[in-house]
């Protein structure tokens, strides 16, 4: 039986495994991270791990807003975990950056103390799109049940926004700011939107607090990128065999990783620039390109691929008709929406992303990417559609992706399967109300201004999505009848064309 990964068993690891290059016992926390999921542990924690070798008390106190599972899993191993780079040249890293873990439901006082601690200089967040409680206009959604609860119970917030405001209020009372709050989620203008949500919430409770936050706290925008699939049981077994130690929750990711941060801090920070992080005055082009080219095609692959019975990104991109659809979507609709760039070869960037999808070592489930569609589609597809309508470019395949989401919702509802999405109940209720008629459901979904904003009353857009739903229903039925037919399908031709 293998021993457990821990500080005391690190010395048993093969020399090819990288281990913490700083004093684990005596390096304190300088960062609080909210939402320590797989992506944080594969990306920001990786960069911070490497930056810790250059000194400073920059270990991380992780705060889980909902589940205690990570804290329970890692407490047996000194919060160490393996990060496995699964690519043509695999690497194994033991990450020690996370020093402590708390769960809001059980450790609230500990969490607030960490956020108010003068030594805490950075708060980073990966709470996913839904964690910001934003409305379709990018402002705080004051109708959100968590926000409504937190405005009443300001000392026991359940939202990340409410928790941040509580901490900043206490720091203001203590007489110091000296902290930078960094969103690391796939949200356009993520730092600006987080700042808006936090200051709008604070101002509702105390105008002077809202102004103090505006004047003293930096919310830099970022672009984050590394494909990080969820950990499955067979991967854990592989890691145990490879390391010779048991890791209760190892993480895997591709070798490609990128972190671009706006150089706007109201505190000191780790020496991230020494380990590959890009600092710039304007993140917007990096972020827009990545959100649209990678995340836009990821979401398209997820819903179109699932309709055709695919399970992973690799399977989807390996299907000629799907790859042709993705490449045409990029060339004709997404890349042109970004305009010309003198410093960025967008065509090459897009090709590189398709190549990343063809990484046979990565088992990235389409069902995972399909989570939270109502929260992702606005950033990944709708902003591109808006630009293309304005500039009179095609939106055919973008509308096909929206249509595939509508059909996905109907399929899940019809099977009475829950949808991982904050709107699960209302989406499935809407489908039931129209007796699971996909075209009727699509009309209902497109009328949701909380998702589609002004597109919910843009008739040309809605007509095109309905046309694509009708075409996808035919394709889905053909594939269900004869799975082999998909290799003869030319999705692009089938989906193109006026409604
Ligand atoms: C994916 C992202 O699950 C998803 O929605 O599109 O997590 C994607 O893997 C990352 O943004 C890649 O950087």
């Amino acid at each position: 039986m293998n021993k457990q990964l821990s500080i005391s068993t690190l010395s048993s690891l093969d020399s090819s495994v990288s281990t913490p290059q700083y004093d684990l016992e005596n390096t304190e926390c300088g960062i609080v991270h909210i939402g320590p999921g797989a992506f944080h542990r594969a990306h920001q924690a990786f960069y911070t791990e490497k930056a810790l070798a250059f000194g400073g008390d920059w270990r991380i106190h992780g705060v889980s807003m909902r589940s205690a599972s990570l804290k329970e899993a890692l407490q047996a191993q000194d919060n160490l975990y393996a990060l496995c780079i699964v690519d043509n040249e695999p690497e194994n890293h033991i990450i020690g950056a996370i020093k402590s873990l708390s769960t809001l439901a059980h450790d609230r006082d500990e969490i607030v103390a960490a956020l108010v601690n003068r030594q805490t200089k950075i708060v980073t967040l990966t709470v996913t799109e839904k964690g910001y409680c934003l409305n379709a206009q990018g402002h705080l959604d004051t109708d959100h049940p968590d926000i409504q609860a937190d405005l009443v119970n300001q000392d026991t917030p359940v939202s990340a926004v409410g928790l941040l405001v509580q901490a900043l209020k206490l720091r203001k009372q203590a007489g110091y700011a000296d902290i930078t709050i960094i969103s690391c989620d796939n949200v356009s203008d993520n730092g600006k939107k987080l700042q808006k949500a936090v200051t709008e919430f604070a101002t509702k409770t105390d105008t002077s607090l809202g102004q103090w936050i505006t004047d003293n706290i930096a919310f830099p925008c970022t672009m984050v990128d590394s494909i990080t699939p969820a950990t499955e049981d067979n991967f854990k077994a592989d890691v145990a065999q490879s390391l010779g130690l048991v890791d209760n929750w190892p993480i895997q990711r591709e070798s490609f990783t990128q972190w671009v941060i706006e150089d706007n801090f109201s505190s000191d920070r780790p020496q991230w620039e020494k380990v590959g992080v890009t600092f710039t005055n304007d993140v917007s082009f990096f972020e827009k390109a990545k959100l649209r080219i990678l995340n836009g095609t990821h979401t398209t692959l997820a819903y179109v691929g699932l309709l055709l019975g695919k399970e992973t990104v690799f399977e989807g991109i390996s299907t000629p008709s799907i790859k042709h659809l993705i490449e045409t979507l990029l060339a004709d609709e997404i890349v042109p929406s970004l305009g010309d760039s003198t410093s960025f070869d967008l065509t090459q960037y897009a090709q590189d992303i398709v190549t990343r999808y063809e990484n046979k070592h990565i088992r990235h489930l389409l069902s995972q990417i399909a989570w939270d569609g109502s929260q992702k589609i606005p950033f990944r597809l709708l902003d591109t559609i808006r630009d293309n309508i304005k500039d009179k470019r095609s939106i055919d395949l973008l509308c096909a992706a929206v249509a595939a989401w509508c059909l996905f919702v109907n399929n899940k509802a019809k099977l009475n399967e829950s949808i991982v999405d904050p709107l699960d109940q209302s989406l499935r209720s809407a489908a039931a109300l129209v007796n699971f008629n996909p075209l009727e459901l699509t009309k209902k979904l497109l009328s949701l201004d909380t998702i589609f904003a002004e597109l919910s009353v843009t008739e040309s857009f809605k007509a095109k999505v309905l046309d694509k739903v009708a075409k996808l229903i035919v394709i889905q039925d053909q594939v269900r009848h004869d799975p082999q037919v998909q290799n003869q399908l030319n999705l692009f031709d089938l989906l193109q064309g006026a409604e």
Side-chain angles (χ1 to χ4, degrees), residues 186 224-227 290 294-295 298 364 369 376 380:
N186 293 317
V224 292
D225 188 3
S226 191
I227 290 174
K290 190 264 178 174
L294 189 148
N295 296 113
H298 243 189
H364 201 176
I369 299 170
K376 293 178 177 178
R380 299 178 178 208

Side-chain angles (χ1 to χ4, degrees), residues 39 43 129 185-186 223-229 254 256 258 290-291 294-299 302 313 356-357 364-366 368-372 376 380:
F39 182 70
H43 184 270
E129 297 86 347
D185 280 298
N186 293 317
M223 185 277 271
V224 292
D225 188 3
S226 191
I227 290 174
T228 305
E254 63 172 336
F256 179 91
Q258 187 175 20
K290 190 264 178 174
L291 258 179
L294 189 148
N295 296 113
T297 55
H298 243 189
T299 286
V313 167
R356 287 164 61 189
Y357 292 164
H364 201 176
L365 295 175
L366 296 177
Q368 178 193 347
I369 299 170
W371 293 349
D372 297 340
K376 293 178 177 178
R380 299 178 178 208

Side-chain angles (χ1 to χ4, degrees), residues 165-200:
V165 171
Q166 181 188 25
L168 293 171
K169 180 180 176 181
L170 292 168
R171 289 181 83 99
K172 177 175 183 284
Q173 287 169 354
Y176 54 79
D178 198 18
I179 196 165
T180 302
I181 298 177
I182 309 176
S183 167
C184 298
D185 280 298
N186 293 317
V187 171
S188 55
D189 295 323
N190 52 15
K192 292 185 180 66
K193 286 177 181 164
L194 179 56
Q195 179 180 34
K196 248 188 279 184
V198 167
T199 51
E200 287 168 1

